[in-house]
Amino acid sequence: MMPNQYIYNLSYPDYEEDLCALEVKSLFNLSLDGKVFFSSKQVDPSISPYLKQRLEIAYRTSSFSDIIELLEKNTITLNDFKVEYLKLFSDDPYAKKRKELCKEVGFRIQGFPSFTSPKTTFGITFYKDNWYFGVLAKNNRKWKKHNSKPYSYSSSLGINLAKALVNIAGNGDFSKRLIDPCCGVGTVLLEGFFAGYDIIGWEIKSKVAENARINLRHFNNPPRVTSGDIQDIEDTFDASIVDIPYGNFTPTSEENRVSIIKNAKRISKKVVIVSSDDITYLILSQNLTVLDLCTVSKGRKGSFIRYIWVCE
Ligand SMILES: C[S@@+](CC[C@H](N)C(=O)[O-])C[C@H]1O[C@@H](n2cnc3c(N)ncnc32)[C@H](O)[C@@H]1O
């Protein structure tokens, strides 16, 4: 038995690799090295745009027959289960036989299977000379529904970026208090609530703040958005996620951008800044220390870049 060891696998577009690496580092304290990794930390894949599956390792053996032997020795009695094979690398020689392998495993579980709506999914896989069996958790992708929120602007962040940002800010620790002090229509807030973080929003334009509340209520979240200027926030937070206004989308003055960064530092220990232009000079002018930096382009053509700084 290997208690509390998990195998995770990732799926991400090439142009979001750096963002995925920053999320993995923030959630697991690991450097990205391929699309499969082991960790003792239990993270729900659905909080991330990139975590595809998590296998909780019950058995690790050097042969498939050893897995079968263990299943025969330690009977699992359960209804409504399903067994799936996880293909973790492209030329996995066993992937072609996945149906037979799953059947072999399924026969050793005592109970009625359910192929359409299983309550428990077991996973079996071969990876780097070993066989693994355990309970499988999959990214439910239910967060995709947020793409059709009632209010969205062309300047709104993409859903992958919004999800990664809350994890970069919160490190998967739901006891942390987060704030998006320039929340626009609440794209980041929706992902924060979905993951289970304690998060609130502020937005200077009252109409936009109201639209953020409508978006939040639409998906049964508390409408925790205050209409006001970041400089009026009195509370303090573990981390802030700040999408800096810029350009034609959300025109603003340089003075306001300085004020946003200065106040984000005042109200939070950690500041995750997003911007569509390189504002390193502004960040450094406020004596913030940049711990991490990455860029992410919007789409495969890489036409529209967003910069992300993790600061203290
Ligand atoms: C880049 S947009 C945020 C977009 C948001 N992340 C989204 O996806 O919908 C920046 C927002 O900051 C707001 N804002 C600008 N100055 C502000 C200030 N001083 N305090 C609070 N909000 C401010 C703007 O009205 C704008 O909605």
Side-chain angles (χ1 to χ4, degrees):
M1 286 288 270
M2 300 182 61
N4 302 328
Q5 268 291 334
Y6 303 91
I7 305 180
Y8 292 88
N9 70 334
L10 296 160
S11 167
Y12 54 83
D14 295 348
Y15 54 87
E16 288 180 17
E17 182 166 354
D18 289 353
L19 182 62
C20 177
L22 190 51
E23 191 196 51
V24 166
K25 182 177 173 189
S26 309
L27 285 174
F28 297 97
N29 205 14
L30 284 175
S31 300
L32 189 67
D33 180 18
K35 292 191 172 173
V36 179
F37 64 92
F38 290 76
S39 172
S40 57
K41 193 168 167 189
Q42 187 188 49
V43 173
D44 177 355
S46 302
I47 73 165
S48 161
Y50 307 122
L51 290 171
K52 207 171 148 190
Q53 289 149 321
R54 179 193 75 204
L55 183 75
E56 182 173 0
I57 304 169
Y59 300 138
R60 182 185 69 190
T61 63
S62 54
S63 72
F64 180 72
S65 56
D66 286 349
I67 295 272
I68 295 297
E69 212 169 282
L70 282 165
L71 287 169
E72 284 174 347
K73 209 164 88 190
N74 310 302
T75 316
I76 300 173
T77 308
L78 192 76
N79 284 328
D80 301 318
F81 71 89
K82 186 180 177 181
V83 184
E84 285 189 18
Y85 186 86
L86 274 83
K87 187 180 174 188
L88 295 179
F89 54 103
S90 56
D91 50 353
D92 178 352
Y94 297 102
K96 277 189 202 131
K97 295 188 199 159
R98 62 176 71 203
K99 272 193 187 154
E100 292 95 307
L101 295 167
C102 290
K103 224 186 241 179
E104 287 282 312
V105 170
F107 279 146
R108 268 72 186 186
I109 295 167
Q110 306 296 310
F112 292 106
S114 166
F115 301 109
T116 48
S117 47
K119 289 196 180 117
T120 307
T121 303
F122 293 103
I124 176 95
T125 190
F126 175 76
Y127 185 68
K128 291 196 174 167
D129 298 333
N130 281 302
W131 284 89
Y132 297 90
F133 167 82
V135 172
L136 183 67
K138 296 200 271 188
N139 195 316
N140 62 29
R141 310 266 165 203
K142 284 185 181 163
W143 43 273
K144 292 266 185 190
K145 65 186 174 198
H146 297 157
N147 275 324
S148 51
K149 55 184 179 290
Y151 288 95
S152 189
Y153 301 139
S154 55
S155 61
S156 294
L157 297 175
I159 200 162
N160 284 6
L161 178 52
K163 282 181 86 63
L165 286 172
V166 287
N167 292 325
I168 291 164
N171 304 100
D173 177 351
F174 301 120
S175 69
K176 284 191 179 167
R177 296 187 69 221
L178 309 182
I179 182 167
D180 179 347
C182 300
C183 71
V185 291
T187 313
V188 167
L189 300 177
L190 280 172
E191 301 319 315
F193 282 122
F194 181 87
Y197 288 105
D198 177 359
I199 189 165
I200 67 159
W202 274 60
E203 165 56 50
I204 199 164
K205 290 185 187 153
S206 55
K207 178 73 187 123
V208 179
E210 185 47 28
N211 290 347
R213 287 184 208 107
I214 292 169
N215 280 342
L216 288 169
R217 279 196 209 98
H218 184 78
F219 296 105
N220 299 316
N221 296 300
R224 293 170 67 186
V225 176
T226 305
S227 177
D229 192 307
I230 187 172
Q231 64 189 3
D232 298 327
I233 300 173
E234 286 174 357
D235 212 349
T236 55
F237 300 82
D238 293 295
S240 55
I241 300 145
V242 194
D243 183 8
I244 304 284
Y246 174 69
N248 297 333
F249 296 132
T250 44
T252 190
S253 65
E254 189 77 343
E255 195 189 348
N256 188 37
R257 293 184 352 139
V258 170
S259 164
I260 289 171
I261 295 169
K262 185 192 275 181
N263 282 289
K265 183 183 172 191
R266 176 182 62 78
I267 62 168
S268 55
K269 287 181 226 151
K270 179 174 173 184
V271 187
V272 181
I273 300 172
V274 192
S275 174
S276 45
D277 62 328
D278 185 354
I279 52 160
T280 308
Y281 70 100
L282 279 185
I283 293 168
L284 297 180
S285 77
Q286 295 311 308
N287 294 323
L288 278 162
T289 306
V290 178
L291 305 176
D292 269 306
L293 164 66
C294 94
T295 57
V296 59
S297 61
K298 215 176 177 181
R300 204 164 289 281
K301 288 185 187 150
S303 49
F304 182 49
I305 288 197
R306 287 261 161 81
Y307 297 81
I308 296 130
W309 295 263
V310 183
C311 311
E312 255 179 10

